[in-house]
Amino acid sequence: MANYIVRRLLWGIVILILVSLIVFFAIRMVPGDPLTLFVSRTQESGFSFTKAQLDALRRRFGLDKPVIVQYVDWISNMLRGDLGESIYYRQDVAKLIKERLPVTLYLGIIGFLLSLTVGTTAGLLAGMRRATWIDNIIVVISYIGIAIPVFWLGYLLIFAFGLKLRILPIGGYTSPFEDFWYSLRQIIMPVICMVLPGIAGMARQMRSSYLEVAGQDYIRTAWAKGLTEKAVVMKHILKNSLIPIVTLLGMSIGGIFGGSVLVENVFAIPGMGRFLVQGIFQQDYVIMQANTFLMAVMIILSNLIVDISYGWFDPRIRYD
Amino acid sequence: MADTIANIDQIVQSQSRATVSEWQRFVRTLTQRKVVVFALIIIALTVITAIFAPWLSPYDPNEKNFADSLQQPNRKHWLGTDLLGKDTLSRIIWGARTSLIVGIATCLASAILGSTLGMLAGYMGGVVNTIIMRFMDALMGFPMIVLALLLAGVLGNGMQNVIIALTVANLPGYTRLMCGMTLAVKENDYILAQKAIGSSNLRTLFLHILPNSFQPMIIMISTALGGIILAEAGLSFLGIGLSHEEVTWGGLVASGYSYLSTHPMLAFAPGLCVMLVVFSFNILGDGLRDALDPRLRGVL
């Protein structure tokens, strides 16, 4: 097991380095340097830079150095918690992100727990009562949940509960420590939008893995030796069918960050997703770089945890 | 004796009939479930709408007509108009074109590029495999829409750039699939036989490994198409990627926000189209899997 964990961790580091390279060079793909993006955007709004100003900016952001040096600087600064200075806000990006990350994580963790519990329960129910009306309803809802554009679902909810029934606020974010009940009412609709695809995916996976396990020979043996339904389902089928769910957990964390980009923009929630989109509009490469890298780091770390726990759940994996 | 021969004849006949009707069997399994037929109809309608958009749409999608500003659905404008008097129905019809072009182009590009990389990784093994597959792992570290946002944001506006961004975000799935398929097929004796008679690597790859991986590929393309259309709608909704002249369903939903309480149709109709089309491609993907891969029938 220790061997397995070390191996995984080493690969995790390699992948993190690759991710940092992807982010760093994706932004430097454009002809010129990342500042040209920012400059072209400000020029559209009728503001122009002189050559001297541009050179000063380049020096300030370290863009006059060779690319390799820039990369090494970026990484070593990041390891020390320095994410650079935003061109647009002229503020420390680490500070800006510190204000926004908790919001996304708060919504994300609620969403994650909901999609895990509701999704697996629904999938289990559908699998146990296969080809009944319960199964049919759950399958249809899960198909819709995967296909629905979350931003559109957000608008439908805003229309129904915010504008027509007027029982929920249509957007914004309040810290739960400030006004717990208002905060709770504010996050109901965003959380629904965020979790629906996750619940749908989870339910589908749970249903299919339940059915797959239920068809195994050892389950027939369990039935044949006269175990009760409870014992067969809980002890034999459920435990084994949860294994593929574990792999899905890592992916659903990615789904939460992906969903946050859209949902936070629909409901005007000041989190990481909205920050990224604003950063792209402002063509602030420092924000784009830091934001996407952090998201990827969190996803990769959670995948790493999932991988390691997978090895613990299913010993066969360790000896690959 | 004559009886036995007749019997054998019968058996041979019934067997040959079974092979002839392979295509029929495929069609029958595919259309067995009514929902798959529904999905096929929606897809066919969308494709027809996209191709014949110039003839089908009652108005020019970008024609401004201030006299008809913000109309509710009526006989002249079936789905109403927006603030500038642009006909919503016409814009939705043209939106189908954008969605399908981006979806299909992205799907083909990522399938071709991804499966080539996957075949290379699986066939060459060793360092090549490590480099390609770790790179794909790294790409998988980003949520699809975040990676697409980053690339589209850097590349700037334009349909071509959206396609490039979504293609890169979609590569890992195909690469992993093809790498796995190649590794599995490579172990077969007929590949060894190929090597023994001295056929080239390229010949083995394209005449043996590729055709064997055709079925999972088709299934993956159909399912991925829905996801790509959804991602494109998300990008357009955020206003990143496609320029404002391009009519997109996502963009239409976004611009309907201000009129949600008075003219909900502006945001509702295009979003419903996205959902229906994505739903249909997902259902078709599942139907194809059922028809092509009997082992998984009814399980997923």
Side-chain angles (χ1 to χ4, degrees), chain B residues 58-93:
Chain B
Y59 299 89
D60 183 323
N62 288 318
E63 186 188 78
K64 293 171 192 159
N65 181 354
F66 293 103
D68 282 350
S69 168
L70 285 176
Q71 297 262 315
Q72 294 291 356
N74 57 34
R75 202 173 291 170
K76 205 169 141 208
H77 299 282
W78 290 3
L79 291 175
T81 57
D82 67 3
L83 181 68
L84 301 173
K86 297 176 188 168
D87 181 51
T88 305
L89 180 65
S90 306
R91 288 174 74 74
I92 286 178
I93 289 173

Coordinates of all heavy atoms in Angstrom, one line a residue, chain B residues 58-93:
Chain B
P58 N -38.3 32.7 -41.4 CA -39.2 33.6 -42.0 C -38.6 35.0 -42.1 O -39.0 35.8 -43.0 CB -40.4 33.7 -41.0 CG -39.9 33.0 -39.8 CD -38.8 32.1 -40.1
Y59 N -37.6 35.4 -41.3 CA -37.0 36.7 -41.4 C -35.5 36.5 -41.4 O -35.0 35.4 -41.0 CB -37.4 37.6 -40.2 CG -38.9 37.8 -40.1 CD1 -39.7 37.0 -39.4 CD2 -39.4 39.0 -40.8 CE1 -41.1 37.2 -39.4 CE2 -40.8 39.2 -40.7 CZ -41.6 38.3 -40.0 OH -42.9 38.6 -40.0
D60 N -34.8 37.6 -41.7 CA -33.3 37.6 -41.6 C -33.0 37.7 -40.1 O -33.6 38.5 -39.4 CB -32.8 38.9 -42.3 CG -31.3 38.9 -42.2 OD1 -30.7 38.5 -41.2 OD2 -30.6 39.4 -43.2
P61 N -32.2 36.8 -39.6 CA -32.0 36.7 -38.1 C -31.4 38.0 -37.5 O -31.6 38.2 -36.3 CB -31.0 35.5 -37.9 CG -30.3 35.4 -39.2 CD -31.3 35.8 -40.3
N62 N -30.7 38.8 -38.4 CA -30.1 40.0 -37.8 C -30.8 41.2 -38.3 O -30.3 42.3 -38.1 CB -28.6 40.0 -38.2 CG -27.8 39.0 -37.4 OD1 -28.0 38.8 -36.2 ND2 -26.9 38.3 -38.1
E63 N -32.0 41.1 -38.9 CA -32.7 42.2 -39.4 C -33.4 43.0 -38.3 O -34.1 42.4 -37.5 CB -33.8 41.7 -40.4 CG -34.5 42.8 -41.1 CD -35.7 42.3 -41.9 OE1 -36.7 42.0 -41.3 OE2 -35.6 42.1 -43.1
K64 N -33.0 44.2 -38.1 CA -33.6 45.0 -37.1 C -34.9 45.7 -37.6 O -35.0 46.1 -38.7 CB -32.6 46.1 -36.6 CG -31.4 45.6 -35.9 CD -30.4 46.6 -35.7 CE -29.1 46.0 -35.3 NZ -27.9 46.8 -35.5
N65 N -35.9 45.7 -36.7 CA -37.2 46.2 -37.1 C -37.8 46.8 -35.9 O -38.5 46.2 -35.1 CB -38.1 45.1 -37.7 CG -39.4 45.6 -38.2 OD1 -39.7 46.8 -38.0 ND2 -40.2 44.8 -38.8
F66 N -37.5 48.1 -35.7 CA -37.9 48.8 -34.4 C -39.4 48.9 -34.3 O -39.9 49.0 -33.2 CB -37.2 50.1 -34.3 CG -35.7 50.0 -34.2 CD1 -34.9 50.2 -35.3 CD2 -35.2 49.6 -33.0 CE1 -33.5 50.1 -35.1 CE2 -33.8 49.4 -32.9 CZ -33.0 49.6 -33.9
A67 N -40.1 48.8 -35.4 CA -41.6 48.9 -35.2 C -42.1 47.7 -34.5 O -43.1 47.7 -33.8 CB -42.2 49.0 -36.6
D68 N -41.4 46.5 -34.7 CA -41.9 45.3 -34.1 C -41.1 44.9 -32.9 O -40.9 43.8 -32.5 CB -41.7 44.1 -35.1 CG -42.9 44.2 -36.1 OD1 -43.8 45.0 -35.9 OD2 -42.8 43.5 -37.1
S69 N -40.6 45.9 -32.1 CA -39.7 45.7 -31.0 C -40.5 44.9 -29.9 O -41.6 45.3 -29.6 CB -39.1 47.0 -30.5 OG -38.5 46.8 -29.2
L70 N -39.8 43.9 -29.2 CA -40.4 43.2 -28.1 C -41.9 42.8 -28.3 O -42.7 43.1 -27.4 CB -40.2 44.1 -26.8 CG -38.8 44.1 -26.2 CD1 -38.8 45.0 -25.0 CD2 -38.3 42.7 -25.8
Q71 N -42.1 42.1 -29.4 CA -43.5 41.5 -29.6 C -43.6 40.2 -28.8 O -42.7 39.4 -28.7 CB -43.6 41.2 -31.1 CG -43.5 42.4 -32.0 CD -44.9 42.9 -32.3 OE1 -45.8 42.2 -32.7 NE2 -45.1 44.2 -32.2
Q72 N -44.8 40.0 -28.3 CA -45.2 38.7 -27.7 C -45.4 37.8 -28.9 O -45.6 38.3 -30.0 CB -46.4 38.8 -26.8 CG -46.3 39.7 -25.6 CD -45.4 39.1 -24.5 OE1 -44.9 38.0 -24.7 NE2 -45.2 39.8 -23.5
P73 N -45.3 36.5 -28.6 CA -45.6 35.5 -29.7 C -46.9 35.9 -30.4 O -48.0 36.0 -29.7 CB -45.6 34.2 -29.0 CG -44.8 34.3 -27.8 CD -44.9 35.8 -27.4
N74 N -47.0 36.0 -31.7 CA -48.2 36.3 -32.4 C -48.1 35.6 -33.8 O -47.2 34.9 -34.1 CB -48.4 37.8 -32.6 CG -47.3 38.5 -33.2 OD1 -46.6 37.9 -34.1 ND2 -47.0 39.7 -32.8
R75 N -49.1 35.9 -34.7 CA -49.2 35.2 -35.9 C -48.0 35.6 -36.8 O -47.5 34.8 -37.6 CB -50.5 35.4 -36.6 CG -50.8 34.4 -37.6 CD -52.2 34.5 -38.1 NE -53.3 34.2 -37.1 CZ -54.6 34.5 -37.3 NH1 -55.0 35.0 -38.4 NH2 -55.4 34.2 -36.4
K76 N -47.6 36.8 -36.7 CA -46.5 37.3 -37.6 C -45.1 36.8 -37.1 O -44.3 36.4 -37.9 CB -46.5 38.8 -37.6 CG -45.9 39.5 -38.9 CD -46.2 41.0 -38.9 CE -45.0 41.7 -39.4 NZ -45.0 43.1 -38.9
H77 N -44.9 36.9 -35.8 CA -43.7 36.4 -35.2 C -44.1 35.3 -34.2 O -44.5 35.6 -33.1 CB -43.0 37.5 -34.4 CG -42.6 38.7 -35.3 ND1 -41.5 38.6 -36.2 CD2 -43.1 39.9 -35.6 CE1 -41.4 39.7 -36.8 NE2 -42.4 40.5 -36.5
W78 N -44.0 34.1 -34.6 CA -44.5 32.9 -33.8 C -43.9 32.9 -32.4 O -44.6 32.4 -31.5 CB -44.2 31.6 -34.5 CG -45.0 31.4 -35.8 CD1 -45.9 32.3 -36.3 CD2 -45.0 30.3 -36.6 NE1 -46.5 31.8 -37.4 CE2 -46.0 30.6 -37.7 CE3 -44.4 29.1 -36.6 CZ2 -46.3 29.7 -38.7 CZ3 -44.6 28.2 -37.7 CH2 -45.6 28.5 -38.7
L79 N -42.6 33.3 -32.3 CA -42.0 33.2 -30.9 C -41.7 34.6 -30.4 O -40.9 34.8 -29.5 CB -40.8 32.4 -30.9 CG -41.0 30.9 -31.2 CD1 -39.6 30.2 -31.3 CD2 -41.8 30.3 -30.0
G80 N -42.3 35.7 -31.1 CA -42.1 37.0 -30.6 C -40.8 37.6 -31.2 O -40.1 37.0 -32.0
T81 N -40.4 38.8 -30.7 CA -39.2 39.5 -31.2 C -38.4 40.0 -30.0 O -39.0 40.1 -28.9 CB -39.5 40.6 -32.1 OG1 -40.4 41.5 -31.4 CG2 -40.2 40.2 -33.3
D82 N -37.2 40.4 -30.2 CA -36.4 41.0 -29.1 C -36.4 42.5 -29.2 O -37.2 43.1 -29.9 CB -34.9 40.4 -29.1 CG -34.2 40.9 -30.3 OD1 -34.7 41.7 -31.1 OD2 -33.0 40.5 -30.5
L83 N -35.6 43.2 -28.4 CA -35.7 44.6 -28.2 C -35.5 45.3 -29.6 O -36.1 46.3 -29.9 CB -34.6 45.1 -27.3 CG -34.5 46.6 -27.0 CD1 -35.8 47.0 -26.2 CD2 -33.3 47.0 -26.3
L84 N -34.6 44.7 -30.4 CA -34.3 45.4 -31.7 C -35.3 44.9 -32.8 O -35.1 45.2 -34.0 CB -32.9 45.1 -32.2 CG -31.8 45.5 -31.2 CD1 -30.4 45.0 -31.6 CD2 -31.8 47.0 -31.1
G85 N -36.3 44.1 -32.4 CA -37.3 43.7 -33.4 C -36.8 42.5 -34.2 O -37.4 42.1 -35.2
K86 N -35.7 41.8 -33.7 CA -35.3 40.6 -34.5 C -36.2 39.4 -34.1 O -36.5 39.2 -33.0 CB -33.8 40.3 -34.1 CG -32.8 41.3 -34.5 CD -31.5 41.0 -33.9 CE -30.5 42.1 -34.1 NZ -29.2 41.9 -33.4
D87 N -36.6 38.7 -35.1 CA -37.5 37.6 -35.0 C -36.9 36.4 -34.2 O -35.9 35.9 -34.7 CB -38.0 37.2 -36.4 CG -39.0 36.0 -36.3 OD1 -40.0 36.2 -35.5 OD2 -38.8 35.0 -36.9
T88 N -37.5 36.0 -33.1 CA -36.9 35.0 -32.3 C -36.8 33.6 -33.0 O -35.8 32.9 -32.9 CB -37.7 34.8 -31.0 OG1 -37.7 36.1 -30.3 CG2 -37.0 33.8 -30.0
L89 N -37.9 33.3 -33.7 CA -37.9 32.0 -34.4 C -36.8 31.9 -35.4 O -36.1 30.9 -35.5 CB -39.3 31.8 -35.1 CG -39.4 30.5 -35.9 CD1 -39.3 29.3 -34.9 CD2 -40.7 30.4 -36.6
S90 N -36.6 33.0 -36.2 CA -35.5 33.0 -37.2 C -34.2 32.8 -36.5 O -33.3 32.1 -37.1 CB -35.6 34.3 -38.0 OG -36.8 34.5 -38.5
R91 N -34.0 33.5 -35.4 CA -32.7 33.4 -34.7 C -32.5 32.0 -34.2 O -31.3 31.5 -34.2 CB -32.6 34.5 -33.6 CG -32.5 35.9 -34.2 CD -32.6 37.0 -33.2 NE -31.4 37.1 -32.3 CZ -30.3 37.6 -32.7 NH1 -30.2 38.1 -34.0 NH2 -29.3 37.8 -31.9
I92 N -33.5 31.4 -33.7 CA -33.4 30.0 -33.2 C -33.0 29.1 -34.4 O -32.1 28.2 -34.2 CB -34.7 29.5 -32.5 CG1 -34.7 30.2 -31.1 CG2 -34.7 28.0 -32.3 CD1 -36.0 29.9 -30.4
I93 N -33.6 29.3 -35.5 CA -33.3 28.4 -36.7 C -31.9 28.6 -37.1 O -31.2 27.6 -37.3 CB -34.3 28.8 -37.9 CG1 -35.7 28.3 -37.5 CG2 -33.8 28.2 -39.2 CD1 -36.8 28.7 -38.5

